[in-house]
Amino acid sequence: MTRVRGVWWMLVPVLAGTACRKPPQSDTGQGPGAVLTDLDRAAIQKVDSTFERVANDGVLDSVTALYAEDASLLPPNEPVVTGREAIRQHWGRVMDSYSLRFDVVSDELEGRGDLAYLRGHFTLTASPKAKGAAAMSDRGKFVKVFRRHADGSWRFVIDIYNSDLPSK
């Protein structure tokens, strides 16, 4: 009995270390520890390029559809906008006032399981729809967090962007 007890205590650190170790990463794109597959990466990039295209075309419903129902938009110098309908209203106000020209570049895309993030930079020209007003230009950076949904689609759940230009 004493000998078994001695062996048991020697195994506790080994078993504890094994239990605390992260599970091996899968490349299947399934499960909480799975790395992003090439298909996941392509789908996420497509969502981002679709945002650029439909925002530039002024298609509000298509912009809004890229966000999850519970998404949060964190625009510069404004409070957080939470929920797809509130995000729709935000972008609607912007698109009612301006014609937008985004150029978006992805710098980093990473993720695991059903979450991913995309970091990048942008340039923007916002041309007021009101006659006689001058266009505004901006450049900045963004981070977008995506979640894979039950239907396999990826949508924005957090979208934050801000300017690189000095405050005036």
Side-chain angles (χ1 to χ4, degrees), residues 1 7 13 15 18 25 27 32 71 75 80 89-90 93 95 105 115 121 129-131 141 145 167:
M1 182 74 169
V7 171
L15 294 172
T18 301
Q25 302 259 329
D27 65 358
V80 175
Q89 291 172 15
H90 170 84
R93 286 189 299 274
M95 291 179 179
V105 177
L115 287 175
H121 61 279
K129 292 182 176 178
K131 296 205 186 283
K141 62 271 187 199
V145 178
S167 301

Side-chain angles (χ1 to χ4, degrees), residues 6-86:
V7 171
W8 171 251
W9 286 109
M10 289 176 22
L11 290 176
V12 168
V14 172
L15 294 172
T18 301
C20 294
R21 203 174 303 149
K22 288 182 180 179
Q25 302 259 329
S26 162
D27 65 358
T28 63
Q30 303 297 315
V35 297
L36 295 177
T37 65
D38 289 342
L39 289 174
D40 291 330
R41 290 177 176 279
I44 291 165
Q45 289 284 4
K46 183 174 182 181
V47 171
D48 202 47
S49 64
T50 298
F51 172 85
E52 179 180 7
R53 181 177 46 79
V54 296
N56 288 346
D57 291 344
V59 185
L60 179 60
D61 289 339
S62 296
V63 168
T64 305
L66 299 172
Y67 289 86
E69 286 292 337
D70 61 344
S72 292
L73 174 65
L74 291 78
N77 305 312
E78 295 183 36
V80 175
V81 180
T82 302
R84 186 184 284 163
E85 183 53 35

Side-chain angles (χ1 to χ4, degrees), residues 86-128:
I87 292 169
R88 183 184 201 298
Q89 291 172 15
H90 170 84
W91 282 119
R93 286 189 299 274
V94 172
M95 291 179 179
D96 284 346
S97 299
Y98 299 94
S99 294
L100 303 175
R101 175 64 184 147
F102 278 103
D103 289 305
V104 179
V105 177
S106 300
D107 296 320
E108 179 182 12
L109 172 58
E110 288 296 332
R112 298 283 182 269
D114 293 338
L115 287 175
Y117 72 88
L118 180 64
R119 180 184 59 81
H121 61 279
F122 67 89
T123 58
L124 168 66
T125 302
S127 301

